[in-house]
Amino acid sequence: ILETFLSLLLPLALLVLAASSAAVAQLEIGFYSKTCPDAEKIVREEMAKIIAAAPSLAGPLLRLHFHDCFVRGCDASVLLESTEGNVAEKDAKPNKSLRGFGSVERVKAKLEAACPGIVSCADVLTLMSRDAVVLAKGPFWPVALGRRDGRVSSATEASNELPPAFGDVPLLAKIFASKGLDLKDLVVLSGAHTLGTAHCPSFADRLYNTTSGLIDPSLDSEYADKLRLKCKSVDDRAMLSEMDPGSFKTFDTSYYRHVTKRRGLFRSDAALLFDATTKDYVQRIATGKFDGEFFRDFSESMIKMGDVGVLTGAEGEIRKKCHVLN
């Protein structure tokens, strides 16, 4: 009888063990409640100071998180510096204009002072992007924590995997799907373009088409004239244009109103009007009657994106400084 009992007990024990290890490998709300109880408060307070001093950093910090999650998942690989033998993500062409690295190090240093070696850079960046949205008058959402930091960062991967500013919906949808994100996530997360600015090379091909000499017909001609005053050529790197003119430091739905008027800055913004599903969403939110719905959708899509390809448990490491491996 004892033998039978033990033979029944063993699979049960293995099942419990498997369940507990699976639970360990999940992100969770309050992950640092025992090891660094003030982690979120420290990030929030430091972010309040950063955004008070430089409100225009909200967009770049949100973008940093996007660019991290789309390459190897949300593992802070975008923060690593290149080394003699490796060109890192941050030096890939699409990442040359990323900003906010110093702010991430500043927040991480505060956490290291309070709880050395506990909070990952991946979690720091995820929290900072949420707080950036909140401080720009956008929605709050709970962030599950427990991400670990990756040990690999490749410029080639970044160049191949990031959604390009010139992408149409089929191409962008394919890239999003490879990360477990759908068409709704694509149109909702495009709404992040309500914050921030862009350099001319990311959209100037719409103003100066080298082959035909004509401007992109999907761009409002009056708006194109205004943009050409700022961007003198395709290679003009000096000037910045607001992605959501008039409220580029405020998280709101005016981006969608610009897109419906054919005043989205990028080809990828304009492309949203050429797909039935994304067009419906853009036009609905553009009415200004569904801001609460957009805020809820954005929160849900950010939670989904923050779960992409995360390292948990014993994977990766907890970097002491975000720009360099331990």
Side-chain angles (χ1 to χ4, degrees):
I1 293 171
L2 184 63
E3 217 170 299
T4 314
F5 177 69
L6 286 173
S7 68
L8 286 170
L9 197 62
L10 187 64
L12 188 67
L14 288 172
L15 200 66
V16 170
L17 193 67
S20 68
S21 66
V24 168
Q26 295 302 311
L27 301 181
E28 52 183 285
I29 303 287
F31 180 82
Y32 298 111
S33 58
K34 290 188 172 64
T35 52
C36 190
D38 287 335
E40 289 198 47
K41 182 170 175 270
I42 291 167
V43 175
R44 189 168 61 246
E45 287 176 357
E46 205 55 30
M47 272 297 288
K49 291 176 195 166
I50 289 166
I51 300 300
S56 62
L57 264 181
L61 288 169
L62 182 54
R63 186 170 174 239
L64 212 43
H65 179 51
F66 271 79
H67 282 233
D68 183 34
C69 294
F70 270 84
V71 186
R72 292 192 161 261
C74 313
D75 67 343
S77 52
V78 76
L79 304 175
L80 288 169
E81 296 278 0
S82 293
T83 57
E84 208 174 311
N86 179 63
V87 185
E89 286 173 36
K90 71 185 294 188
D91 289 317
K93 198 179 173 187
N95 284 338
K96 291 280 193 189
S97 59
L98 289 177
R99 297 191 300 129
F101 296 101
S103 298
V104 179
E105 290 293 0
R106 173 176 161 177
V107 173
K108 172 65 171 166
K110 286 274 179 190
L111 287 162
E112 283 299 301
C115 330
I118 300 294
V119 185
S120 69
C121 295
D123 276 345
V124 170
L125 187 51
T126 308
L127 286 170
M128 286 177 75
S129 68
R130 188 270 313 272
D131 291 347
V133 170
V134 172
L135 290 162
K137 300 185 170 62
F140 172 93
W141 60 91
V143 174
L145 301 166
R147 292 165 194 78
R148 308 265 297 176
D149 297 326
R151 293 196 178 101
V152 177
S153 184
S154 154
T156 309
E157 285 181 10
S159 297
N160 293 337
E161 293 184 35
L162 286 167
F166 59 78
D168 59 8
V169 171
L171 173 64
L172 297 171
K174 192 178 165 189
I175 295 169
F176 270 65
S178 73
K179 309 298 172 191
L181 301 168
D182 58 27
L183 204 52
K184 183 171 184 188
D185 297 313
L186 165 58
V187 67
V188 168
L189 292 173
S190 294
H193 289 169
T194 178
L195 292 176
T197 53
H199 289 87
C200 297
S202 57
F203 60 86
D205 65 319
R206 303 183 74 197
L207 308 173
Y208 305 100
N209 190 316
T210 45
T211 47
S212 67
L214 298 171
I215 61 158
D216 179 351
S218 68
L219 184 63
D220 174 69
S221 57
E222 203 179 301
Y223 186 45
D225 290 342
K226 278 186 184 170
L227 290 173
R228 266 203 303 270
L229 291 173
K230 282 193 164 187
C231 293
K232 303 299 181 194
S233 75
V234 179
D235 302 313
D236 185 343
R237 293 184 178 276
M239 293 302 291
L240 286 169
S241 289
E242 297 172 9
M243 292 195 282
D244 183 4
S247 75
F248 77 105
K249 296 176 191 171
T250 308
F251 191 94
D252 55 25
T253 55
S254 60
Y255 160 79
Y256 293 103
R257 286 185 278 288
H258 288 301
V259 173
T260 57
K261 292 174 187 164
R262 296 189 302 126
R263 292 182 168 212
L265 197 54
F266 305 123
R267 284 187 191 272
S268 60
D269 297 324
L272 299 175
L273 294 178
F274 293 91
D275 173 274
T277 307
T278 56
K279 183 182 181 179
D280 281 352
Y281 190 86
V282 168
Q283 291 182 329
R284 178 178 168 82
I285 302 304
T287 62
K289 295 176 185 171
F290 304 100
D291 288 16
E293 182 185 319
F294 168 62
F295 275 28
R296 280 191 301 277
D297 289 343
F298 191 80
S299 300
E300 280 174 29
S301 291
M302 284 296 288
I303 289 168
K304 264 177 89 173
M305 189 184 75
D307 286 349
V308 171
V310 294
L311 302 173
T312 56
E315 299 169 309
E317 64 181 20
I318 305 293
R319 276 180 232 148
K320 291 179 177 65
K321 289 188 170 150
C322 295
H323 68 280
V324 64
L325 297 175
N326 289 346

